Amino acid sequence: MQTVTETKTKRNIMSSAQPDDPEHAAALLALVATEQSRQAFSELFRYFAPRLKAYATRQFGNEQTAMDLVQETMTNVWNKAHLFKPDRGSASTWIFTIARNIRFDFLRKNKHRQHDLSADELWPVLAEQNESLDDDYALDDDLLMQQLAVYCEALPKAQRTVIELIYVAGKSQQEVADALGIPLGTVKSRTRLALQKLRELIQSDD
Amino acid sequence: MIKFHPSEEHLFHYVTGDLSPAMLMMVGTHVDMCSQCQRHVQHIEEDLAQKVFGQRQLPAEFAAANDSFADDAMLARIMAQAPQPTSMVMDKSPTELVLEGKRFQLPATLARNHHRIGHWHKLIGQMWRAPVQISGEDVLTFIYMAENTRVPEHTHKGNEATLVVNGVFNDETSEYRDGDFVFLDGSVKHTPQTRDEDCLTLAALDAPMHFTSGLSRLLNPFSSLFFK
Ligand SMILES: [Zn+2]
């Protein structure tokens, strides 16, 4: 599997594709992530750096600040390429959101205001884990998560369906309500009852 | 289904980061809760990325920009660093908000900013508020209304944005549920109230409330306390 991907990405590099081709850009990022390929990074840099500079110069009207933004953005691309998730969007969109975050922090950097927001508190583009917080309900501990499958069998069917859609399929409560054609309040109460029941089951097992 | 969404303009400026910090938190929290706006945000990001990176040829005025990279000094500097795949693991900060024994799960944006949430204070009747400490002119605050609670009729000198985090409330015109985002300008008078369900909302205000009716006018001196 791994070798197939590598052969494919290597072939892409040899072709005449440009980094403005999304598949090619994603393949280059994958090479930077998996083998720190300097060739792949150089190709990305030559395409994205001048365009980032044009963007940053329009934003800041200052060449030095613009170059700082280019350097910081491309440094993140070099260091954090493994955080790029091709299924979530294109490489250029990912690089844009990194630049957007850096611009946001640059604009606040010298003000030193109390309680300032930082870009990654708003948009965790470069967080190592940013999936786990998305659920409406976060389970208390990993143990519960692991044993869930077993204990779920003991739940009434309606509750089990809701729990599976939320915790296994990763749907939000609203999406579950829409999918099952039931009110959001019902999804909430079923989730609450199910989690209560699951905790009881786990505690009685200890 | 979520019925009330931020405007196109709010979403665009959320993506670029050009709203007040309080409004960025409000819109970000709505986006966490709303798959429709998540898709919308993604499209805006793609459009902007296309504008910045899409052109095969750099515009003439920036063709010279290439010169800055001609010697590849920056490229060499970056690649001289060993890639550091670690760092910036998000702390597992608490994701719950607790009030009077009730626990509310916070959407991701609020969970990441849990450290900004101050203590709950009881207001009039069965209402509580907890400030969210954030820079900027706007005030950002949680407001919790127990069942069967009514806010005295009021207008605002400025704008008010309200987001339902959990529960349901009504005013004269509509019913608002989880994820609904309501933006009111200063001209609107309204009387939010809960019925048989309680409601946790997040509100951003750019000026204190101004009570308009009967006895509740007595509350006006109190209103700056209420939201500052
Ligand atoms: Zn929405």
Side-chain angles (χ1 to χ4, degrees):
Chain A
M1 190 62 199
Q2 183 67 21
T3 48
V4 173
T5 321
E6 270 172 31
T7 320
K8 186 167 169 263
T9 50
K10 288 220 169 90
R11 183 154 15 93
N12 277 348
I13 282 200
M14 308 313 278
S15 78
S16 61
Q18 289 278 309
D20 65 345
D21 167 9
E23 272 186 43
H24 184 61
L28 291 171
L29 274 178
L31 283 171
V32 175
T34 55
E35 49 191 83
Q36 288 88 52
S37 163
R38 302 167 80 86
Q39 190 196 337
F41 182 73
S42 305
E43 200 183 326
L44 288 167
F45 185 90
R46 294 213 169 83
Y47 185 83
F48 285 102
R51 287 164 176 81
L52 273 171
K53 191 190 169 195
Y55 158 77
T57 306
R58 279 195 300 274
Q59 295 291 324
F60 297 114
N62 173 315
E63 164 137 10
Q64 187 50 51
T65 315
M67 288 301 273
D68 290 347
L69 181 136
V70 177
Q71 167 144 345
E72 217 167 297
T73 305
M74 294 311 294
T75 300
N76 277 310
V77 173
W78 173 242
N79 284 325
K80 308 282 173 63
H82 64 287
L83 294 176
F84 169 64
K85 303 276 186 301
D87 54 327
R88 292 205 174 176
S90 71
S92 70
T93 303
W94 184 66
I95 295 173
F96 169 75
T97 56
I98 294 173
R100 179 268 318 269
N101 281 23
I102 290 166
R103 170 184 175 265
F104 186 85
D105 286 340
F106 274 14
L107 289 174
R108 279 148 196 80
K109 195 164 65 178
N110 295 317
K111 296 189 178 157
H112 298 296
R113 281 182 310 198
Q114 218 192 346
H115 307 308
D116 244 354
L117 262 183
S118 70
D120 47 70
E121 287 174 320
L122 277 172
W123 311 283
V125 179
L126 296 174
E128 297 285 338
Q129 311 158 314
N130 57 6
E131 295 95 4
S132 59
L133 290 177
D134 290 348
D135 289 334
D136 286 341
Y137 278 81
L139 287 175
D140 283 353
D141 55 40
D142 298 340
L143 181 73
L144 185 57
M145 201 60 171
Q146 287 162 16
Q147 299 186 329
L148 209 55
V150 181
Y151 291 116
C152 267
E153 300 297 316
L155 294 173
K157 182 144 192 336
Q159 290 176 20
R160 194 169 75 215
T161 307
V162 168
I163 287 292
E164 282 172 356
L165 285 171
I166 292 175
Y167 293 107
V168 184
K171 297 211 179 308
S172 72
Q173 292 186 320
Q174 184 63 59
E175 285 167 341
V176 174
D178 296 345
L180 300 179
I182 55 177
L184 179 60
T186 309
V187 174
K188 282 186 188 174
S189 59
R190 282 183 194 169
T191 308
R192 206 152 34 218
L193 287 171
L195 290 180
Q196 210 173 342
K197 179 77 182 162
L198 287 168
R199 285 199 182 95
E200 283 166 17
L201 285 169
I202 287 167
Q203 276 155 11
S204 68
D205 227 28
D206 284 344
Chain B
M1 286 299 277
I2 294 175
K3 282 186 294 185
F4 301 93
H5 304 268
S7 67
E8 177 81 35
E9 211 182 333
H10 279 137
L11 288 175
F12 182 86
H13 289 122
Y14 165 71
V15 170
T16 61
D18 297 312
L19 291 172
S20 71
M23 283 300 286
L24 285 168
M25 294 279 292
M26 295 281 296
V27 177
T29 303
H30 172 86
V31 170
D32 292 339
M33 301 174 84
C34 178
S35 52
Q36 184 183 327
C37 286
Q38 277 163 28
R39 283 193 296 274
H40 211 116
V41 159
Q42 204 172 354
H43 288 149
I44 297 170
E45 286 174 352
E46 283 161 11
D47 284 352
L48 287 168
Q50 179 64 24
K51 282 206 181 76
V52 175
F53 300 128
Q55 70 283 40
R56 271 211 150 186
Q57 297 296 320
L58 281 176
E61 71 213 88
F62 286 111
N66 271 315
D67 296 347
S68 327
F69 301 102
D71 61 355
D72 283 348
M74 186 190 286
L75 175 59
R77 240 185 350 261
I78 293 172
M79 291 197 303
Q81 308 171 47
Q84 315 138 347
T86 47
S87 87
M88 246 206 78
V89 177
M90 280 284 179
D91 291 344
K92 234 187 153 188
S93 54
T95 61
E96 279 188 338
L97 194 60
V98 181
L99 172 68
E100 298 278 292
K102 292 185 185 173
R103 311 173 87 82
F104 298 95
Q105 285 299 325
L106 294 174
T109 299
L110 289 172
R112 280 194 298 274
N113 289 279
H114 197 282
H115 61 280
R116 300 178 181 280
I117 304 172
H119 294 294
W120 286 103
H121 295 282
K122 194 157 195 246
L123 299 165
I124 42 173
Q126 292 297 299
M127 290 178 69
W128 284 257
R129 72 168 285 249
V132 182
Q133 308 233 290
I134 199 161
S135 61
E137 298 298 305
D138 297 7
V139 175
L140 185 65
T141 188
F142 279 103
I143 297 173
Y144 173 79
M145 298 167 74
E147 298 83 350
N148 302 307
T149 301
R150 174 193 287 263
V151 182
E153 183 186 72
H154 63 280
T155 56
H156 302 280
K157 287 178 189 144
N159 299 316
E160 175 195 66
T162 302
L163 173 71
V164 180
V165 178
N166 196 300
V168 49
F169 82 87
N170 299 75
D171 67 9
E172 289 80 346
T173 54
S174 224
E175 182 179 85
Y176 308 95
R177 293 180 169 274
D178 290 36
D180 277 334
F181 181 100
V182 203
F183 190 79
L184 298 173
D185 69 27
S187 66
V188 182
K189 283 187 198 175
H190 73 148
T191 317
Q193 59 177 302
T194 53
R195 292 175 186 163
D196 47 11
E197 239 190 278
D198 59 347
C199 192
L200 176 69
T201 64
L202 184 67
L205 296 106
D206 60 8
M209 275 187 177
H210 184 79
F211 290 100
T212 47
S213 75
L215 273 178
S216 62
R217 266 176 303 186
L218 292 173
L219 289 167
N220 278 337
F222 179 62
S223 70
S224 60
L225 191 81
F226 203 76
F227 282 113
K228 276 284 181 191

